[in-house]
Amino acid sequence: MAVAEPTGPALTREEADRALARLGAEHEAVESSLLALQDHAGRRLLEGAELAGETRSRWAAAEALIGQLWAYFDAYTDALTTARELRARRRWPTQGELSELTELLRGSGITLPGHGTAAFGAAGLPGATAGPAARLSERLSLQELLDRMNGWYAQALDVVVIADAVWSALPARIDLLAAELRRTRSLAHSVGVRPGEHPAGDDLEQITRELTALRAEVIADPLAFWAGASPSSAPGGGRPDTTRYDRAARALEDVRREVEAVLDVRQDADQRLMHVRDVLSRADRTLNEARQARVEVLSKIAASVVPAVSGPPTALYEQLAAAADHRRHARWHRLSPLLEGLEQRAEEELLRARESLTAVTAPLAVRAELRGRLDAYKAKTARHGLAEDALLIERYDAARRMLWSAPCDLIAAEQAVLRYQQALAEALAAPGAGERATGRRGDS
């Protein structure tokens, strides 16, 4: 086998044919990719856009790469055409032709300008390395040329695909959110939620400024809004960064709920104000009942500590009057928080009034419970035939006088009831109590 220096052993006819077929397929794939890149919508948008920041620098480098790609592709095409013409001379090539063909297919026989890599490395594209500045040209093999084109193509494609993905995703969503913002702001103004008058109005202004700035930045520098891996290194691994958009969307949703709450107040303000008035009225009636009960307790129960009863909730009535004034003048944004607080405090006032009535009437409840116990013991006395027992009659009369006299000393009355209960228990435990009860029922 002949030797082709410096590429090693010469290819056989079959090996040369296979290498030409492979390189021809690669040539078609590269050509298709370059044409697709040329017609890519993202590339056309980048060419006509006023770019800034990272996108401007990377697109400048990518444009240079794309131009160099076509130059390298032409060199690749010329070399492949020369190899094909050499192979087509005869069906069975000579050993010299095989050596020449091997040199064309494997050797570093393609001379290219050497300034390209230095320029692209300085441009800051990932993967581009700066070469020696004094190097005016370099020699590459077909495979080395192909590998370099594939690397540059991936770098240029990243810029185009990322810009297109961000522009396809974010501006339209920002526009939709801006439209929702305009509707929300219109509703907010209709109920008095305006900047300087309501916190939600200030939030709307802040969201408006953020969306305006966000859209301008996305249009000018889409590559700054990409998160994750590049499309060429990890297909599907990256995505448009929507962090700022999502934050603005959440803020707008919070404002929208606040505005809807104010709208709800406008729709049912009369009913809610009437409910507050009704609750406060019931609280007043309960307090009046508690004051009357306190007078009764002080007159009927002796030596009892009766808590004082507070007056009507003046502050709540003042707030209720302010709420009604907001309602008359359609100041819904002020009525909303005031009405919510009024509803809660009115319920608390009613609960306090009921607790006050319970505390005031507690001595009367104790007296009623003692009266009930005394009557129950008397009924038990009659069932056991002890109704004529002199001691029991005496103790019952003493307890009854205390409980049905005014003022009633609850402590003394309770002791009297306990003495009556004790006397009844002793009488029932005495010998012959059962026979007396039986005999009395027989006599009757």
Side-chain angles (χ1 to χ4, degrees), residues 124-147:
L125 275 171
T129 56
R135 191 174 181 181
L136 300 180
S137 65
E138 58 181 335
R139 296 176 63 84
L140 301 173
S141 67
L142 278 173
Q143 186 59 50
E144 290 171 340
L145 182 58
L146 179 63
D147 292 341

Side-chain angles (χ1 to χ4, degrees), residues 373-428:
R373 284 168 57 189
L374 183 63
D375 289 342
Y377 295 146
K378 183 180 181 182
K380 185 176 182 180
T381 299
R383 285 198 308 272
H384 288 278
L386 300 174
E388 302 300 328
D389 188 295
L391 179 60
L392 291 176
I393 293 173
E394 176 186 353
R395 292 193 175 180
Y396 170 79
D397 289 341
R400 192 177 189 285
R401 281 194 303 272
M402 291 182 183
L403 287 173
W404 268 267
S405 62
C408 173
D409 188 338
L410 287 178
I411 297 176
E414 183 177 14
Q415 293 299 319
V417 172
L418 289 175
R419 285 194 296 271
Y420 179 63
Q421 177 189 9
Q422 183 179 6
L424 174 60
E426 293 173 352
L428 290 175

Side-chain angles (χ1 to χ4, degrees), residues 24-58:
E26 293 282 3
H27 177 272
E28 292 180 3
V30 170
E31 183 179 29
S32 298
S33 298
L34 288 176
L35 290 174
L37 180 60
Q38 192 73 19
D39 294 334
H40 199 288
R43 181 179 183 275
R44 293 195 297 268
L45 290 173
L46 283 166
E47 287 179 338
E50 294 184 5
L51 303 175
E54 179 185 359
T55 305
R56 180 169 59 187
S57 61
R58 288 187 63 183

Side-chain angles (χ1 to χ4, degrees), residues 320-384:
L320 182 60
D325 186 63
H326 292 327
R327 166 67 184 86
R328 283 192 299 273
H329 295 88
R331 293 190 290 263
W332 310 112
H333 62 292
R334 295 184 180 178
L335 176 60
S336 177
L338 179 58
L339 191 52
E340 289 180 4
L342 266 175
E343 289 171 332
Q344 180 180 352
R345 288 190 292 273
E347 294 292 343
E348 292 173 352
E349 179 63 23
L350 178 58
L351 178 61
R352 187 184 66 81
R354 289 170 175 171
E355 291 174 347
S356 180
L357 177 61
T358 300
V360 166
T361 56
L364 295 178
V366 172
R367 188 185 66 173
E369 190 269 337
L370 290 174
R371 286 178 174 180
R373 284 168 57 189
L374 183 63
D375 289 342
Y377 295 146
K378 183 180 181 182
K380 185 176 182 180
T381 299
R383 285 198 308 272
H384 288 278

